Amino acid sequence: MSKQGFTTTILHSDRRKSVEHGALHKPVHTSVAYGYSQSRQIAEVFQGTQSGYTYARQVNPTVTALEDKITAMEGGLATTCFSTGMAAITAFLFALLKEGDHFVASKFLFGNSNSLFNSMSKFGIDVTFVDITDTAAVAAAIRPNTKALFVETIANPCTQIGDLGAIGDLCEAHGIVYIVDNTMTSPYLFQPKSVKASLVVNSLTKCVGGHGAALGGAITVTGLYDWSNYDNIFDGYRKGDPRLWGMVQIKKKGLRDTGATLSPQAAHLLALGAETLALRQERSSSNAMALAKYFEAHPKVNRVFYPGLASHPQNDLAAKYYRTPGFLMSIELHDSINCFDFLDALEVVVISSNLGDNRTLAIPVAHTIFHEMGPARRTDMGITDGTIRFSVGIEDIDDLLADFERAFAS
Ligand SMILES: *Cc1c(COP(=O)(O)O)cnc(C)c1O
């Protein structure tokens, strides 16, 4: 991030790069291809000796403008955007791991990431899932062929938090690529670069976009990893600044060759969302804190999972690393309440599976997003049949509290 504040930097990011006609937003560029008057120029662009636009599967000006904003937010060196957050994670695996490699991942993981990581074994890439709240267990999982370590900042749905700084030290000591999925905190609450992350993943679909109106994902390179020590970088990409080699390979092999391209229309919507990220995060966090205290005091709630509560096992880590404890919260209802009936009684809160929306969303997780995982793995993750996950939005807090009062009373 530059010397100016988070929001100032994002609001004025496009304008500072001389946008056409003095437009305040980077326009939505829909051209798939770009014409050159000099053939030598297009050759130089292809060979990377000059920057420029060629074909929109790999690069587009509207998408580049969003990438620059994400890079600034993360305090990184460069960003590549993708059609979704999952496409970004897939691109990393596909571009930078090979048969015989091993990686370590948190066992408290976004369901689709968990499913994707399990699929990697058929390509000869092994994964070990660990309890990231236990740094000694993380250290014990590292093997001679471990190439990468993947963690999330706040786990979904039970909000576990690892000691991300201690894990960063471990990765540094072993020369392992440290990937932090920052989706649950967003770069406003946390910059993974501060805990020595090599790469940062964001699902832009969630709080960066914020309005639930566009899918998108991003990988940012922090500049802290020296890729000249990483033997999976192809010879052709071993040139220029070694801090960028991994990003070049992700852009070529992970984006250009797979075609998981973010559309310029989506990039525009996500960039509009990014302008108010800080404001929305402050509001959703303060709403979440108020709701967490309300639930904790409520006799019909058995447990509340929210990193802002003193009763949360990693409350100290949340306070140490994150600007606020965020928007993600889960509760376990008292056995006397049927979670489906409870959810159906809500009028303001929406029953929906997204996260980081402006609206407060709720979902019974065991029966939906973590259903495919099966009961054993759910138990291991702390999920019960009565667990309800909330993505707290920016509504007026009195309306949210009144909605829950009504649901408990019915
Ligand atoms: C949603 C999510 C993803 C995937 O993002 P999509 O844009 O939905 O593909 C990855 N990681 C986490 C933590 C998420 O919540």
Side-chain angles (χ1 to χ4, degrees):
M1 182 63 65
S2 69
K3 277 179 232 70
Q4 290 188 320
F6 188 92
T7 297
T8 311
T9 304
I10 301 313
L11 283 175
H12 296 275
S13 161
D14 289 343
R15 203 168 60 79
R16 288 191 174 125
K17 287 166 193 145
S18 71
V19 181
E20 301 88 303
H21 315 295
L24 298 186
H25 297 109
K26 187 72 178 174
V28 180
H29 285 268
T30 56
S31 269
V32 165
Y34 293 80
Y36 287 80
S37 59
Q38 301 293 318
S39 54
R40 283 183 185 82
Q41 253 179 5
I42 198 169
E44 282 169 9
V45 171
F46 264 84
Q47 291 169 25
T49 52
Q50 210 197 92
S51 65
Y53 293 93
T54 51
Y55 187 67
R57 181 164 12 85
Q58 186 181 351
V59 66
N60 168 284
T62 313
V63 175
T64 306
L66 175 63
E67 290 173 342
D68 290 347
K69 292 188 184 88
I70 309 293
T71 301
M73 289 194 262
E74 289 289 0
L77 278 190
T79 297
T80 300
C81 279
F82 296 86
S83 54
T84 65
M86 286 318 300
I89 296 170
T90 305
F92 160 74
L93 297 171
F94 182 72
L96 289 171
L97 296 181
K98 68 169 187 330
E99 190 178 4
D101 288 344
H102 170 252
F103 69 106
V104 177
S106 166
K107 74 175 183 183
F108 311 117
L109 213 55
F110 179 63
N112 300 155
S113 300
N114 173 75
S115 170
L116 171 71
F117 291 178
N118 276 312
S119 305
M120 297 311 288
S121 63
K122 74 177 177 191
F123 303 110
I125 298 166
D126 268 353
V127 57
T128 304
F129 293 104
V130 294
D131 178 353
I132 41 120
T133 65
D134 179 353
T135 306
V138 178
I142 295 171
R143 306 179 192 164
N145 64 336
T146 303
K147 282 290 206 311
L149 197 149
F150 185 101
V151 298
E152 294 175 1
T153 50
I154 300 178
N156 166 18
C158 293
T159 69
Q160 296 92 340
I161 297 171
D163 188 336
L164 300 182
I167 297 172
D169 290 339
L170 264 178
C171 290
E172 185 184 48
H174 289 84
I176 293 170
V177 176
Y178 184 24
I179 309 145
V180 178
D181 183 334
N182 199 21
T183 302
M184 288 304 153
T185 28
S186 91
Y188 178 64
L189 300 192
F190 178 56
Q191 275 189 351
K193 186 181 178 180
S194 65
V195 293
K196 302 182 178 169
S198 322
L199 297 170
V200 183
V201 168
N202 278 287
S203 166
L204 307 175
T205 314
K206 313 292 171 54
C207 35
V208 173
H211 299 68
L215 292 158
I219 300 183
T220 301
V221 64
T222 60
L224 299 181
Y225 190 82
D226 179 357
W227 297 92
S228 61
N229 298 324
Y230 195 78
D231 55 15
N232 291 353
I233 303 288
F234 295 103
D235 285 345
Y237 305 140
R238 291 182 169 271
K239 58 187 181 198
D241 185 346
R243 296 175 307 162
L244 285 169
W245 293 359
M247 186 90 281
V248 172
Q249 189 152 311
I250 286 170
K251 205 169 187 91
K252 304 286 187 189
K253 300 291 176 186
L255 174 65
R256 182 196 64 188
D257 294 2
T258 69
T261 308
L262 181 65
S263 78
Q265 291 85 354
H268 174 65
L269 289 173
L270 297 168
L272 290 182
E275 293 187 356
T276 54
L277 175 63
L279 283 74
R280 293 183 284 105
Q281 291 274 95
E282 291 288 352
R283 172 78 164 224
S284 57
S285 296
S286 75
N287 280 354
M289 193 68 219
L291 288 176
K293 287 182 177 154
Y294 165 79
F295 287 132
E296 195 168 48
H298 204 288
K300 289 178 180 170
V301 177
N302 281 350
R303 277 185 80 178
V304 185
F305 301 92
Y306 185 63
L309 293 175
S311 58
H312 189 283
Q314 293 95 36
N315 176 245
D316 55 334
L317 291 176
K320 177 176 171 187
Y321 293 125
Y322 308 147
R323 192 194 292 252
T324 76
F327 64 85
L328 181 73
M329 179 187 327
S330 291
I331 60 170
E332 249 176 63
L333 289 173
H334 190 267
D335 305 338
S336 64
I337 308 183
N338 178 292
C339 78
F340 292 107
D341 294 339
F342 176 77
L343 286 167
D344 291 349
L346 294 166
E347 289 172 12
V348 176
V349 176
V350 189
I351 304 167
S352 177
S353 71
N354 192 18
L355 288 162
D357 195 290
N358 285 337
R359 288 149 280 259
T360 299
L361 312 178
I363 191 159
V365 289
H367 317 275
T368 58
I369 48 176
F370 292 101
H371 180 70
E372 190 181 304
M373 214 170 241
R377 187 74 201 277
R378 279 201 297 273
T379 304
D380 198 30
M381 289 183 73
I383 299 168
T384 67
D385 284 351
T387 305
I388 296 176
R389 183 194 75 191
F390 297 105
S391 172
V392 179
I394 61 169
E395 292 94 343
D396 300 285
I397 185 63
D398 289 345
D399 295 326
L400 292 175
L401 289 167
D403 205 29
F404 287 114
E405 274 293 291
R406 193 166 43 232
F408 279 121
S410 74

